Amino acid sequence: MGRKQSFTETELLDMTKKLVLEHGYDGFHLKLLSQHLSGARSTIYQYYANKEEIVAACMKRVIANVLEHASAVDESDPLEALEELLLIYVEEAALHQLLGDANKINTSNSPAAARDLEFIEDAHQTLKLQLSRLFERAQQDKSLRQDIPLPVLIGVFFNLFNTPNMMNLPTADWGRLLFQTWIGGAKS
């Protein structure tokens, strides 16, 4: 039995994400991608014209998923909303690593990649506004300390995503534990 003749766009983008996270943007190339897909390398070009388009589409897909879930968060209680957002971000913890290479994508020969990067920037701004709004409301409600500047609270919150799960807890449990540590502090 021969190799599967084709793969789906979802399979292509999933493998792109995996390989970009493992090898970085500079170490990722179409030959590497084709070696990890069960189909002809030419199938890649049925979906995307070049490396830039594939990686930008992958990044767009990841942030669109985060944006979709974040947009569905009920913001009536800012702290509950922040905890739910943290769980969303922990679930897609590689987002920042993946997007860290966005500036390496040369869009001069790829209008599709340029559009995807514009979407990514817009989505990033939307997510940033949502977090800022929730943090401000939580401080106004006196649910968060007011003596700590908002940028510090947000910065520490963002760094929670990168905390290694050394206990190998399920992602949701890990996210809740991180939130409880953040909101309660580490002192007894």
Side-chain angles (χ1 to χ4, degrees):
M1 187 145 178
R3 285 173 52 155
K4 180 178 160 189
Q5 293 303 306
S6 64
F7 42 84
T8 66
E9 184 176 19
T10 297
E11 291 170 326
L12 174 70
L13 293 177
D14 286 346
M15 186 53 65
T16 298
K17 177 182 173 186
K18 179 183 182 301
L19 294 173
V20 169
L21 290 172
E22 286 176 10
H23 300 274
Y25 180 77
D26 295 326
F28 173 83
H29 48 83
L30 298 185
K31 182 177 181 185
L32 177 68
L33 179 60
S34 69
Q35 291 170 345
H36 286 83
L37 294 169
S38 57
R41 183 173 173 181
S42 60
T43 306
I44 294 170
Y45 297 103
Q46 293 175 8
Y47 297 105
Y48 301 100
N50 53 43
K51 169 183 172 173
E52 290 78 11
E53 284 186 15
I54 295 169
V55 175
C58 172
M59 291 175 176
K60 177 185 177 184
R61 179 173 167 239
V62 172
I63 201 164
N65 183 50
V66 170
L67 184 61
E68 178 183 342
H69 287 93
S71 298
V73 169
D74 177 3
E75 295 186 17
S76 55
D77 180 323
L79 281 185
E80 285 180 19
L82 286 170
E83 183 173 10
E84 194 172 338
L85 285 172
L86 180 62
L87 294 176
I88 291 166
Y89 288 127
V90 166
E91 187 69 41
E92 194 57 72
L95 176 67
H96 287 98
Q97 180 186 347
L98 190 63
L99 296 181
D101 285 333
N103 64 333
K104 294 179 179 180
I105 297 174
N106 181 353
T107 59
S108 61
N109 294 326
S110 180
R115 285 189 302 275
D116 286 349
L117 290 179
E118 187 176 321
F119 176 89
I120 291 164
E121 184 57 35
D122 291 346
H124 189 255
Q125 289 303 317
T126 299
L127 293 169
K128 206 160 124 181
L129 287 171
Q130 180 185 35
L131 279 174
S132 295
R133 180 174 61 246
L134 289 168
F135 272 96
E136 287 172 9
R137 284 189 41 224
Q139 269 193 327
Q140 289 169 354
D141 295 350
K142 297 187 181 3
S143 300
L144 289 178
R145 291 176 50 177
Q146 295 178 311
D147 61 324
I148 299 175
L150 201 54
V152 174
L153 290 172
I154 294 171
V156 172
F157 184 84
F158 264 111
N159 279 303
L160 293 173
F161 315 152
N162 298 321
T163 305
N165 184 352
M166 294 179 285
M167 297 170 61
N168 295 317
L169 293 174
T171 304
D173 294 341
W174 180 244
R176 283 192 222 34
L177 182 58
L178 289 175
F179 186 82
Q180 290 306 313
T181 302
W182 176 77
I183 199 71
K187 92 177 185 181
S188 58

